[in-house]
Amino acid sequence: MANIYTPKSNKEYFAPFGPTMAYCQLSADLVNFLNTKMEEQLDELEDFSDHLVGKVHQELAWSEEIKERVMAELSNFIAGWVAWSHQRTHAWNEKLDMDKYDYGIQVMSAWYVRQFAHEYNPLHLHTSCRISCVGYLALPEKYEEECKEDYKDHHPSHGHLQFASGTTGNWNTTNFMVKPKVGDFWLFPAELFHMVYPFSSAGERRSFSINMNFLEMTKEAAEKAKKEGAQVVNIDEA
């Protein structure tokens, strides 16, 4: 059944269509932790590339230790976005029922993306999950110089992340680009198309992605899942 929207005033602006997204900055401690762990465990982490579409140097699956540290910082932020998105897309006034249900964020997979000169990530979406993201950890030393030159062109794109959704029209935007910056974290629905353009600077463009599910369970089901060892991050406030 379609949502029924009732105007709340005789004049308003609203956005009834399109995916929601979120952005935040990672703490310097978390960025340092992730870079240090990758460098320490470079020969130990599983190469996840065969499960992904990236035409990049290496994609390394995270250990449980890395997942737990990252989710300790980001789970509340992710939960807040889910709660806001839920209310926005459910007749604009339905909130998560914290009295009836327990909610959680389940990490399905997580990995480092190591991209070097002339490599790229083709247009794609993420499957077998509901939420995905990208966070930036390192950039080539001369990437800013490359961007300065690239921005002289009418359509700069080197090393940029691009999101795309919907059909073009006079009054809607179907895509936008993100210039990578260390510490930036972007959260989005897993079915949102995105891609990364190649660059030419020597050095590594290092980022990470996490595929997640948002779980809604009765109190009893949540307790059972925890006892069975479900890897769930509980949401105390959303």
Side-chain angles (χ1 to χ4, degrees):
M1 173 177 148
N3 293 326
I4 299 173
Y5 177 66
T6 302
K8 297 176 175 60
S9 69
N10 61 4
K11 185 183 288 186
E12 65 182 36
Y13 302 119
F14 63 104
F17 305 111
T20 65
M21 297 180 63
Y23 162 84
C24 75
Q25 290 188 322
L26 305 172
S27 70
D29 285 346
L30 183 59
V31 171
N32 181 63
F33 170 84
L34 285 168
N35 282 323
T36 300
K37 282 298 175 183
M38 197 208 79
E39 289 155 10
E40 288 178 349
Q41 301 176 5
L42 194 57
D43 297 328
E44 302 170 21
L45 298 175
E46 174 193 358
D47 192 338
F48 203 52
S49 302
D50 287 346
H51 303 281
L52 305 166
V53 302
K55 306 295 185 180
V56 298
H57 177 75
Q58 198 172 45
E59 293 169 297
L60 300 172
W62 283 1
S63 65
E64 292 303 316
E65 177 192 10
I66 297 174
K67 292 178 189 176
E68 290 173 7
R69 172 64 179 85
V70 172
M71 295 310 293
E73 177 168 324
L74 293 177
S75 60
N76 283 343
F77 172 72
I78 296 168
W81 170 71
V82 169
W84 180 83
S85 299
H86 181 88
Q87 188 169 358
R88 179 182 181 271
T89 56
H90 287 75
W92 303 80
N93 59 12
E94 181 181 335
K95 296 182 179 180
L96 296 177
D97 189 345
M98 303 298 290
D99 293 328
K100 185 176 180 181
Y101 298 102
D102 270 356
Y103 299 91
I105 296 169
Q106 182 182 34
V107 175
M108 306 302 292
S109 54
W111 63 97
Y112 292 104
V113 180
R114 306 188 67 206
Q115 181 181 352
F116 292 82
H118 312 303
E119 298 178 341
Y120 63 96
N121 217 316
L123 187 69
H124 67 286
L125 50 76
H126 292 209
T127 59
S128 302
C129 60
R130 296 174 64 186
I131 305 167
S132 197
C133 63
V134 61
Y136 293 105
L137 302 174
L139 293 168
E141 183 179 348
K142 295 190 176 180
Y143 178 67
E144 281 299 324
E145 294 179 28
E146 178 178 346
C147 285
K148 194 178 212 180
E149 191 63 30
D150 186 33
Y151 272 52
K152 294 177 182 178
D153 185 70
H154 69 287
H155 193 82
S157 62
H158 290 198
H160 285 38
L161 167 66
Q162 185 166 28
F163 294 99
S165 177
T167 304
T168 188
N170 287 329
W171 313 116
N172 61 302
T173 298
T174 59
N175 69 91
F176 74 97
M177 276 194 285
V178 169
K179 180 184 177 185
K181 180 182 175 184
V182 172
D184 280 359
F185 178 77
W186 297 87
L187 186 66
F188 51 91
E191 67 271 14
L192 182 60
F193 278 104
H194 55 288
M195 64 179 291
V196 177
Y197 289 92
F199 58 90
S200 58
S201 301
E204 181 178 354
R205 178 191 187 278
R206 184 182 301 168
S207 61
F208 69 84
S209 285
I210 312 170
N211 284 344
M212 297 163 277
N213 278 331
F214 181 70
L215 306 179
E216 179 182 72
M217 301 169 283
T218 63
K219 301 289 185 180
E220 294 77 10
E223 285 304 315
K224 181 180 179 184
K226 291 174 194 173
K227 289 177 182 177
E228 293 175 351
Q231 303 253 335
V232 175
V233 178
N234 292 324
I235 300 171
D236 296 324
E237 294 184 6

